[in-house]
Amino acid sequence: MAKSDWYKEMAVYQIWPRSFCDGNGDGIGDLWGVLEKLDYIKSLNVDAIWFSPLFPSPNADYGYDISDYMDIHPDYGNLEVFRQVLDGAHARGMRVFMDLVVNHTSDEHRWFVESRKSKDNPYHDYYFWRKGRLTRRGRRLPPNNWSSIFEGGAWEYDAKLDEYYLHVFAKKQPDLNMANPRVRDEVKNILRFWLDMGVDGFREDVITFIAKDEGLPNSYPVLPVANGVNHYANRPKAHEYLKEFKREVLDFYDCFTVGESPMTSPEVALSYIAEGENKVLDEMIAFSHMEADCFMLDMIQLPFNLVKMKKAFSEWQYKLHGKAWNALYIENHDHPRIISRYGSEEYRTESGKMLAAMYILQRGTPFVYQGQEIGMLNINLPELGMYKDVMAENNIDIATRFLPRSTAMKLLARSSRDNARTPFQWDDSRNAGFTTGTPWFFVNENYREINAAQQEEDPNSLLNFYRAILKFRKESPVAIWGDYKEYFPKDKNFYVYERSYEGKRLLVICSFTRKALRFDAPEGFDLGAGRLVFANYESNFFIMNGFTSRPYEMRVYLFE
Ligand code: NOJ
């Protein structure tokens, strides 16, 4: 069944439910809160909502450890209120996507509870249970040398079974054995369950990890984190499994899929998303552009390198062109806030607008993460005990092997995922209007200056800028369909690119510095002939086809 291309024109808003809006006063964001905010979401000019996991979960990894795939976490509501949200979104012309987390479950999921009862339990083979190895001296070792991404080794011993289970993430997130056809049937049932209810698609969590190499071999050289990844990232079987899900389920619905793909190059991404009979997903969530101020993990920090960021964006733009469609994002629940990273807290509104234009006007589907549109900033928690994220402790363990604890704590404060998980700042009342109860997590104290209500009133606010630029993109074929071409790729201060379509051209100019620098328009552009459609300063002169930039200045010219 042919699928339509609506996803190419849409923009998506991501909700991390625990921190969005509390509707019942228990201090935790929920679906009643979302119901109250549907008009707000619609007002952003987005076309869809992606919910980070809403399912029952013991929250070892805040919802990414699911204990029941076919229900709603009581903290967030129930299936009835979910249906109301779904209907409310649909009535406003917005689609709804769920998070599909099937690389692993929670250890409290019924399948896992059963699987550890005995070796002949029908669920035993739903997971990777393996015998340990013995050293010559008889010491017990795990089945291989893999390390997890969140918590030390990748294997956990169960004394009763005298076996280990595999967990690529936290101990409470045992990996599912996708090679087992019964597990794949379960996944298909989950997909059907939500699609039949009216959900419009899925963001598929670490979907590139779902196939493990047979025999689970040792991995070399040994890395402190994610050792073994070469044996479970982008293995050929992953395509096979995804093809099966598509052929047997997804093809029967007009739905959208975007896969999360850490450590995946655009070439490899194309093997999943390129148009043609091997296409198994619509889009891929890239990571390389989020590594311009760090190395692989956010914790290993480096000075921000604009050339590296531009190279990453441009690579995906060029390599996917004409073959596949990009997913565009600069924030989500897994990364610190972007203004605190790539922009400037001092020039919050200016750099926030510049960053928004920089990625939203590229070719692809823009995703906006809750709070990004009002310029929420990092919270920079000072003590380990204040963190909620399972990664925090592990990162500190690893970092303190090489660094003094005080340095490690500073790195954590800047890099933690918790920076993006503080409650949404709705207004300047107590708890930022997020809850009438006691918030489950710290509210950033800057909520009196940074909040949605205040920005509603201000026509020049970041919030209203997001609305305007998303509206512009929606209505402007050159912004949706235009070819992408980068100028001055080696320039360390400006990111400049063009989009062109049917004789129209957009020129996007973004300064990533507070320095006043001369900018000269690329050849072939006469600024005087263009219409300035977006800028983050008033009065935009140009002299001799260029200008001297103000801090984090952005200008977008349209030539038609
Ligand atoms: C990716 C999710 O985005 C992240 O939040 C989670 O911790 C891991 N996958 C494990 O599910």
Side-chain angles (χ1 to χ4, degrees), residues 75-241:
D75 282 350
Y76 304 145
N78 48 46
L79 283 170
E80 200 187 305
V81 61
F82 177 75
R83 283 196 191 91
Q84 287 174 36
V85 168
L86 191 60
D87 291 347
H90 285 165
R92 290 166 177 81
M94 294 188 289
R95 291 186 160 88
V96 172
F97 309 134
M98 297 301 254
D99 216 307
L100 179 79
V101 190
V102 291
N103 176 69
H104 44 264
T105 67
S106 161
D107 66 340
E108 296 182 33
H109 193 289
R110 186 177 56 85
W111 304 334
F112 189 75
V113 173
E114 286 294 317
S115 88
R116 72 191 314 172
K117 282 189 179 158
S118 73
K119 289 178 193 155
D120 49 19
N121 185 287
Y123 289 93
H124 195 64
D125 198 30
Y126 268 43
Y127 297 87
F128 295 95
W129 284 104
R130 295 288 184 276
K131 277 254 165 258
R133 297 168 289 167
L134 284 183
T135 63
R136 258 187 250 146
R137 297 195 170 165
R139 202 161 66 85
R140 193 168 26 79
L141 290 178
N144 69 20
N145 69 357
W146 297 2
S147 55
S148 79
I149 297 175
F150 286 170
E151 275 187 299
W155 294 94
E156 203 54 22
Y157 183 64
D158 184 287
K160 191 176 122 216
L161 293 175
D162 187 27
E163 283 187 333
Y164 289 80
Y165 69 84
L166 176 69
H167 63 91
V168 161
F169 291 93
K171 290 178 192 153
K172 283 182 69 66
Q173 293 172 297
D175 280 57
L176 277 168
N177 174 15
M178 208 56 79
N180 179 345
R182 290 186 52 211
V183 171
R184 301 203 297 280
D185 286 344
E186 301 278 11
V187 174
K188 290 175 232 166
N189 286 340
I190 297 166
L191 291 170
R192 284 192 200 98
F193 177 84
W194 292 104
L195 289 167
D196 288 340
M197 194 181 297
V199 157
D200 305 283
F202 300 91
R203 176 264 189 190
E204 305 193 356
D205 190 65
V206 288
I207 203 68
T208 49
F209 286 8
I210 59 172
K212 274 77 180 170
D213 276 348
E214 227 172 291
L216 310 175
N218 274 331
S219 180
Y220 299 100
V222 180
L223 313 166
V225 181
N227 194 50
V229 67
N230 49 324
H231 292 298
Y232 59 76
N234 295 309
R235 311 315 296 150
K237 289 263 184 209
H239 295 80
E240 247 176 66
Y241 303 150

Side-chain angles (χ1 to χ4, degrees), residues 265-299:
S265 64
E267 288 83 357
V268 174
L270 282 171
S271 66
Y272 300 87
I273 60 175
E275 292 298 342
E277 62 184 53
N278 289 326
K279 179 177 172 189
V280 286
L281 295 165
D282 293 319
E283 295 173 7
M284 275 298 201
I285 298 175
F287 275 67
S288 49
H289 65 287
M290 301 305 287
E291 289 158 7
D293 61 353
C294 60
F295 177 66
M296 304 277 283
L297 297 172
D298 289 339
M299 184 86 176

Side-chain angles (χ1 to χ4, degrees), residues 12 24 29 81 120 127-128 137 155 160 183 207 230 262 274 307 330 337 345 368 372 450 458 496:
V12 183
N24 68 353
V81 61
D120 49 19
Y127 297 87
F128 295 95
R137 297 195 170 165
W155 294 94
K160 191 176 122 216
V183 171
I207 203 68
N230 49 324
V307 174
I330 50 174
R337 293 287 183 181
E345 294 191 354
V368 178
Q372 177 188 332
I450 304 176
D458 173 4
V496 184

